[in-house]
């Protein structure tokens, strides 16, 4: 008999099944149903679980094995790319254009992808988390034009990346690297990147066994985080600070 994912009860406070019960095919599918209330979403992320589904499907909850993870001190930008940032006039900000970052991530075309998993229901849910201080965006601006961004969810000192985009070449790389730089300075060691793809691996993401990831998340989620908006903490941060140092 083919294994089936667990059906979640209506109560948003109800616990998720243990992640060890997630299916192997498709990898990581753990549960179906429920809602996208803040309580349920935060409980999911706290246990290494995230929603991922397409329009017309029920809500699907995942905990893949292995998990794709960035160390905040190990995001890779090529030497050529870093050199190109020396004279870059882009500015990085946080939480000044969250809704726009989510909208662009939802509509931008990606190779090999048909449609989007960032449904209207998902957009509303993450905007609600942002209003509550649990979801954040890093934005890259050329003047006042948004050229790249990333957004995600925080629980404790854990950042769970959801999606990123480039409107100009390199925009998402700068957003990710700037996010990692600030998180590292704040003592946040990891960014969850969910599911492996070649682009993430090229930027320094590594594959963790689910058991190790979930154990680390349980530790980081109990620590004091940075609630509220991050715009004042980041300010107008020059992207050129990510540039390679000048030769001696």
């Amino acid at each position: 008999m083919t294994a089936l994912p667990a059906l979640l009860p209506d109560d948003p406070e109800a616990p998720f099944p243990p992640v060890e019960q997630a299916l192997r095919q498709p990898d990581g599918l753990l549960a179906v149903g429920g809602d996208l209330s803040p309580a349920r979403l935060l409980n999911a992320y706290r246990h290494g679980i995230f929603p991922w589904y397409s329009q017309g499907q029920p809500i699907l909850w995942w905990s893949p094995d292995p998990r794709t993870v960035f160390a905040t001190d190990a995001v890779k930008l090529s030497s050529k790319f870093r050199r190109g940032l020396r004279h870059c006039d882009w500015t990085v900000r946080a939480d000044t254009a969250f809704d726009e970052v989510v909208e662009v991530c939802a509509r931008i075309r990606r190779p090999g992808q048909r449609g989007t998993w960032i449904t209207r229901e998902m957009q509303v849910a993450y905007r609600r988390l942002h209003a509550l201080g649990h979801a954040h965006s890093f934005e890259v601006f050329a003047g006042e034009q948004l050229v790249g961004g990333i957004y995600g969810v925080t629980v404790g000192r854990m950042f769970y990346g959801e999606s990123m985009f480039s409107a100009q070449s390199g925009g998402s790389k700068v957003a990710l690297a700037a996010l990692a730089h600030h998180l590292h300075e704040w003592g946040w060691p990891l960014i969850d990147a969910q599911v492996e793809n070649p682009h993430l691996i090229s930027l320094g993401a590594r594959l963790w066994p689910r058991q190790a990831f979930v154990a680390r998340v349980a530790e980081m989620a109990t620590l004091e985080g940075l609630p509220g908006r991050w715009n004042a903490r980041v300010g107008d941060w020059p992207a050129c600070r990510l540039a390679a140092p000048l030769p001696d």
Side-chain angles (χ1 to χ4, degrees):
M1 181 180 294
T2 302
L4 297 174
L7 180 64
L8 293 182
D10 292 335
D11 179 7
E13 303 283 350
F16 281 84
V19 295
E20 293 79 12
Q21 294 182 13
L23 304 185
R24 283 293 178 186
Q25 291 295 332
D27 178 35
L29 180 58
L30 176 67
V32 61
D35 58 25
L36 297 176
S37 64
R40 192 167 331 241
L41 281 170
L42 294 175
N43 187 35
Y45 285 105
R46 189 176 291 113
H47 292 90
I49 301 163
F50 59 89
W52 187 26
Y53 65 102
S54 299
Q55 190 69 43
Q57 292 181 324
I59 302 173
L60 303 176
W61 301 88
W62 302 79
S63 185
D65 188 12
R67 190 67 161 243
T68 306
V69 183
F70 284 101
T72 56
D73 62 350
V75 170
K76 293 181 180 178
L77 299 178
S78 71
S79 297
K80 180 179 179 181
F81 186 82
R82 287 186 182 274
R83 287 195 300 271
L85 291 175
R86 289 176 184 167
H87 305 292
C88 179
D89 61 358
W90 288 357
T91 299
V92 178
R93 300 170 187 156
D95 290 341
T96 67
F98 182 88
D99 290 1
E100 188 174 356
V101 170
V102 174
E103 288 172 6
V104 177
C105 285
R107 70 172 184 260
I108 199 163
R109 293 185 178 182
R110 305 174 194 271
Q113 178 185 311
R114 298 173 61 186
T116 180
W117 72 94
I118 308 173
T119 64
R120 283 294 175 188
E121 184 181 24
M122 291 273 273
Q123 292 179 49
V124 169
Y126 287 100
R127 286 172 183 155
R128 189 180 301 124
L129 284 182
H130 176 62
L132 294 171
H134 298 299
H136 303 278
S137 60
F138 264 58
E139 310 115 14
V140 184
F141 289 90
E144 292 305 312
Q145 180 185 2
L146 185 65
V147 297
I150 186 172
Y151 77 95
V153 175
T154 61
V155 180
R157 291 190 185 181
M158 186 70 203
F159 191 96
Y160 305 86
E162 276 296 311
S163 188
M164 59 185 181
F165 79 94
S166 291
Q168 290 188 22
S169 179
S172 64
K173 292 181 182 179
V174 169
L176 172 64
L179 168 65
H181 173 90
H182 283 81
L183 292 178
H184 182 63
E185 285 197 335
W186 299 338
W188 297 40
L190 301 176
I191 300 171
D192 174 32
Q194 298 182 348
V195 180
E196 174 189 9
N197 67 47
H199 180 60
L200 296 178
I201 297 301
S202 74
L203 293 172
R206 294 293 179 262
L207 302 182
W208 283 33
R210 180 173 56 211
Q211 183 178 8
F213 174 77
V214 170
R216 193 67 188 279
V217 163
E219 173 191 350
M220 301 310 301
T222 64
L223 300 178
E224 184 178 359
L226 294 172
R229 298 199 174 188
W230 290 353
N231 52 309
R233 294 181 181 275
V234 174
D236 287 347
W237 193 81
C240 61
R241 292 187 184 177
L242 297 169
L246 292 171
D248 294 334

